[in-house]
Amino acid sequence: MTAANAAKTSPMPTLDVERLRADFPILANVHPHGKPLAYLDNGASSQMPQQVIDRLVHYQTHEHANIHRGVHTLSETATKAYENARRQVQRFLNAREDREIVFTSNVTDSINLVAHGFGRAFIGEGDEIIITHLEHHANIVPWQMLCEDRGAKLKVVPIDDTGTLILDQYQRLFSARTKFVSVTHVSNALGTINPVEEMIAIAHRHGVPIMIDGAQAVQHMPVDVQALDCDFYAFTGHKLFGPTGIGVLYGKADWLNKMKPFRGGGDMILSVSFEKTTYNAIPFKFEAGTPPISQAIALGAAIEYVQGVGLGRIAAHEHELLVYATERLRSLDGVRIYGTAKEKAAVISFYVGKIHPHDVGTLLNEEGVAIRTGHHCAQPVMQRFGIPATARASFAFYNTMEEVDALVAAVAKVQKLFG
Ligand SMILES: Cc1ncc(COP(=O)(O)O)c(C=O)c1O
């Protein structure tokens, strides 16, 4: 099926992709090797629309000052904008209260915050933490570090050959010593969408709190933390059309109040003396030092932008891209797709014959097609499939069927080159 046919059979051509693409200057400005850019590396970092760039420039031009401590107008303006961004994130995730939103520097930082803050308060010798085989290193290593410190044990939910979690095994991993579960919402390496509603309910039936790593989810589908009833949810700004240097941790107020602070310093205290320090209320207890002010404000603008486009329509368009790209790549001899779960986000990990993914990525770049190659910070996933790496195309709502065609044509060219 060609792009034109796919468009004809599409039941819901609801996104005006060409108009939306005009919001992203970088998509038009970069022409590597003289070819139009097909940016298919959104799983690593997505691009920023002009509206977000403008918000950053406006902040730096008219509003910048340090926040919370100043009595002058600029400081008050910056504080208002920063706290308004917190409320935008609260509404985006449908959190009950804005104090349940902590700004961090990225999702890695959010997970480390919970591993330290929750771990030092509640995990002891012989306790168990459950993660899954699908995790990014960011949701493995902090828990391993905690286990090493506390003498706790990590248990891992296995996956089947399609990259789907084996839920029966998840249930069986719980014991009287299970103290925490942390699981990715969407696998960055395979695209698998995990049944987090069910996993949250199962954890709660065992009286265990659960954290969801939403780094690959919030840009693709609506997320409602109250409906999910997760205890923690984390994501990162640069994959949500916002800037780098900003992450979010949602935590139920009860847990955040009970947790130990992660970093010490200014802003996270109410009073300090050499005898005793009293910590600030949440969320400030977890925001030591000058936070990423401009980044938080720009993230607010990115959220506003995404909400304007509509996450339902984004999901529908990306699903069409996924179906079309999967079908076309599969039609090429020797292309193997890793990650064929029924529930999948628009991520395709693949291998071309015996050609190393780095060679594939390098040659695709010469055709103007930007993909990621490597282990995607998910080495256990690669080990599960007995491969060192994959080539990965990851889509955003601004990608087109023509870009899928460019990907497929470039892969076919690589195959020809290697004979
Ligand atoms: C599922 C998942 N978790 C965590 C991360 C880490 O994100 P960051 O580097 O922004 O902390 C990524 C990044 O690719 C990811 O895909």
Side-chain angles (χ1 to χ4, degrees), residues 356-371:
H356 194 283
H358 286 314
D359 293 332
V360 174
T362 306
L363 291 165
L364 258 56
N365 184 51
E366 286 176 18
E367 300 300 314
V369 179
I371 59 159

Side-chain angles (χ1 to χ4, degrees), residues 139-209:
N139 202 24
I140 302 174
V141 184
W143 304 111
Q144 284 176 324
M145 288 161 67
L146 175 69
C147 286
E148 211 174 293
D149 267 15
R150 315 297 290 191
K153 200 173 154 196
L154 206 57
K155 288 185 153 182
V156 181
V157 187
I159 51 175
D160 66 16
D161 290 343
T162 69
T164 306
L165 285 180
I166 305 174
L167 266 195
D168 280 358
Q169 306 255 9
Y170 169 60
Q171 309 228 37
R172 269 187 238 137
L173 287 183
F174 283 87
S175 78
R177 301 308 307 262
T178 309
K179 288 285 158 61
F180 201 78
V181 179
S182 194
V183 55
T184 191
H185 198 159
V186 174
S187 156
N188 69 314
L190 302 179
T192 311
I193 302 175
N194 286 325
V196 290
E197 295 87 343
E198 225 177 318
M199 296 180 83
I200 292 163
I202 291 168
H204 286 170
R205 277 208 293 280
H206 289 88
V208 176

Side-chain angles (χ1 to χ4, degrees), residues 228-242:
L228 284 173
D229 196 30
C230 52
D231 300 279
F232 301 94
Y233 196 98
F235 70 89
T236 207
H238 66 97
K239 298 185 201 287
L240 184 65
F241 317 103

Side-chain angles (χ1 to χ4, degrees), residues 43 106-109 111 136 138 184 186 188 213 215-216 236 238-239:
N106 49 43
V107 72
T108 303
D109 195 31
I111 298 169
H136 184 282
T184 191
V186 174
N188 69 314
D213 170 0
Q216 297 289 344
T236 207
H238 66 97
K239 298 185 201 287

